Amino acid sequence: MSRVTIIGAGIVGAWTAIECLRLGHEVTIVDPGDPGGRQAASYGNGAWIMEASVLPVAMPGLWLQVPRLLLDRGGPLTIRWRNLPELAPWLARFMLSGATLKRVEATARARHELLREAVSRYETICEQAGLSDYIEAAGHLFVYPDEGAWRDDRLTWQFRGRYGHSWEEVKSEDLRRLEPGLGSDYRHAAFMSAGRNLNDPGGLVRGLVSFAQSAGARLVKAQATAWRFEGDRLRAVMTDMGEVESDCALVCAGIASRELASKAGDRIPLESERGYHIVLKDPEYVPLHPVMPSDGKMAVTMTRAGLRVAGQVELANAGAAPDWRRADILLDHLHRLFPSIPRRPDPGRLDRWIGHRPSTPDGLPCLGFSSRSRNIIYGFGHGHSGIGMAPASARLLAELASDIRPSIDPEPYSARRFAQ
């Protein structure tokens, strides 16, 4: 048995704690916040478990859209121009990662390895932990203005089909029967019945951490700040509450992982894709399925707290003040999607949130050993896909920490790729 410290109690950290416990380790979880709390990206995501999310954001030709992204404040992806000089190195790598179809294909293969079987793994662990009521099985509905718009998105669906994900094409009248409250602007759709979603992502994280604690994990409320080594061997994780003696540390701290990685010898191009969401309590229309409109690119999902609308990627300095106009844009899209919901509902029914999706420029997380020591292992940078990639990432991290043959090839996710 070795002493494993997991830094971060988000969805990846929670899964990793469970996997490390199964392999016989003594586990300590270190996080300054409450598991599943509002401070965490795991709290505010789109709530979808989506194995079909194999494509990265960066695609061939995206660089041509940069001027529009700088000027269009209403698009699903926007860049704050004042932060452009700081973001330029990350953006250059981002554009390059999707410059050719060959590169996109390699990224899709690596993403698929982390996403496959995510649904079955969630169903299994939630059954074991008594958390099955957090998972909903209503599928995922992708809606388009017309058939032409759907065909324009054919590359996305080609890749999904390539990796075994099926869907049903749904046309006008049938679409109205499938989702009666849908607005007339949407007349074509693809329905993936295998899709699953969470009705309370933060609550599930809390439940998974509690499950790990019941199996012997220790939770320490502290901020990890540095490392203590003897030679190349890690001896302790330094925190603002003192040392946590450790034989191995797994860095699953989201956007805070960048600074910890720098102190372990690696400069990781990790930036915050600032995500916004709104939750509308007692909505005038309750969708029968989680929905994503092609123009808004946001996940619309009914949760225990209300109707969640999550999306709006904003590239800006992590410490910049929120631009709550992004929440109004989400409401505009929601009204267009479901006209019975007013464009500006009573503010007393609205909850607004902003969080930091920790994103690498190539759409793949960092999973693997640090340059400074093999006793520090990275597990961060999942971007938009933390929910889906958490189970496989956690298993890989636990295998690396246990020095056993990994179930998937860790090389595509190594931090060394950014040193080239």
Side-chain angles (χ1 to χ4, degrees):
M1 178 186 293
S2 62
R3 298 168 299 177
V4 173
T5 298
I6 297 166
I7 303 172
I11 190 64
V12 176
W15 265 99
T16 302
I18 293 168
E19 292 291 343
C20 285
L21 287 163
R22 285 179 172 168
L23 291 177
H25 296 291
E26 178 184 315
V27 172
T28 300
I29 307 170
V30 175
D31 196 299
D34 295 326
R38 290 181 69 95
Q39 81 288 346
S42 299
Y43 171 89
N45 52 48
W48 289 20
I49 307 172
M50 188 177 170
E51 295 181 10
S53 186
V54 294
L55 282 178
V57 176
M59 297 289 285
L62 182 63
W63 66 273
L64 294 170
Q65 301 179 38
V66 171
R68 178 181 61 79
L69 295 175
L70 288 170
L71 296 172
D72 181 9
R73 307 305 299 170
L77 170 62
T78 188
I79 305 169
R80 285 201 192 182
W81 64 267
R82 67 176 67 89
N83 296 126
L84 189 58
E86 304 162 59
L87 294 169
W90 189 93
L91 283 168
R93 285 180 178 266
F94 176 68
M95 299 298 176
L96 190 62
S97 72
T100 66
L101 191 58
K102 183 177 179 180
R103 291 183 177 182
V104 171
E105 287 173 341
T107 299
R109 284 195 299 273
R111 289 178 61 87
H112 169 68
E113 285 298 314
L114 295 178
L115 288 164
R116 62 191 180 97
E117 300 180 357
V119 168
S120 64
R121 291 182 182 183
Y122 268 98
E123 290 174 342
T124 299
I125 194 64
C126 286
E127 183 177 359
Q128 293 171 357
L131 302 169
S132 295
D133 58 347
Y134 282 91
I135 300 178
E136 305 285 350
H140 296 151
L141 182 64
F142 299 83
V143 298
Y144 294 83
D146 50 43
E147 186 173 355
W150 182 71
R151 296 196 181 282
D152 288 344
D153 201 18
R154 60 187 175 276
L155 186 62
T156 297
W157 295 99
Q158 287 172 3
F159 269 89
R160 288 172 178 166
R162 181 182 302 181
Y163 288 105
H165 302 292
S166 60
W167 64 88
E168 176 189 356
E169 191 174 350
V170 187
K171 301 185 179 181
S172 187
E173 294 80 9
D174 292 334
L175 180 55
R176 290 299 169 283
R177 284 191 285 270
L178 187 65
E179 192 62 71
L182 196 65
S184 60
D185 287 344
Y186 301 97
R187 298 181 295 279
H188 204 86
F191 179 58
M192 305 187 79
S193 60
R196 298 292 185 270
N197 68 281
L198 304 175
N199 55 37
D200 181 358
L204 178 67
V205 172
R206 285 193 301 275
L208 290 176
V209 171
S210 294
F211 180 60
Q213 289 179 280
S214 70
R218 181 170 67 111
L219 179 62
V220 175
K221 197 165 186 178
Q223 177 73 54
T225 56
W227 317 105
R228 179 167 66 81
F229 295 98
E230 286 182 9
D232 290 333
R233 189 163 189 83
L234 177 71
R235 289 304 182 191
V237 176
M238 310 296 290
T239 81
D240 57 358
M241 301 299 289
E243 291 188 2
V244 178
E245 293 186 355
S246 310
D247 299 310
C248 179
L250 303 176
V251 184
C252 307
I255 195 63
S257 301
R258 180 174 56 189
E259 184 175 353
L260 290 169
S262 72
K263 294 178 180 179
D266 295 292
R267 295 184 61 187
I268 309 295
L270 188 71
E271 292 290 346
S272 168
E273 290 189 43
R274 293 152 54 96
Y276 292 79
H277 87 211
I278 60 103
V279 174
L280 177 63
K281 298 175 185 177
D282 302 319
E284 285 78 3
Y285 178 73
V286 176
L288 302 180
H289 311 85
V291 181
M292 180 173 289
S294 62
D295 49 356
K297 298 292 185 185
M298 74 279 192
V300 181
T301 311
M302 195 63 196
T303 69
R304 293 178 178 179
L307 186 60
R308 175 177 293 198
V309 186
Q312 293 298 308
V313 173
E314 178 187 52
L315 291 174
N317 185 286
D323 180 359
W324 291 119
R325 290 175 296 180
R326 312 303 302 172
D328 291 339
I329 292 168
L330 290 173
L331 287 170
D332 291 340
H333 281 293
L334 180 62
H335 173 70
R336 184 181 176 197
L337 188 65
F338 300 120
S340 62
I341 298 177
R343 190 179 300 274
R344 292 293 176 266
D346 177 5
R349 291 196 291 142
L350 282 175
D351 180 33
R352 304 182 302 173
W353 178 88
I354 181 174
H356 301 287
R357 301 186 188 100
S359 299
T360 64
D362 62 2
L364 296 175
C366 283
L367 305 171
F369 302 111
S370 74
S371 297
R372 177 69 172 81
S373 171
R374 287 178 67 87
N375 305 116
I376 298 175
I377 303 173
Y378 300 144
F380 57 82
H382 294 80
H384 299 256
S385 302
I387 290 180
M389 291 182 176
S393 294
R395 181 165 297 179
L396 175 58
L397 294 174
E399 291 165 344
L400 294 176
S402 305
D403 198 24
I404 62 178
R405 183 175 180 178
S407 52
I408 62 175
D409 180 10
E411 188 60 29
Y413 321 104
S414 170
R416 291 192 301 272
R417 72 190 191 268
F418 296 120
Q420 299 172 359

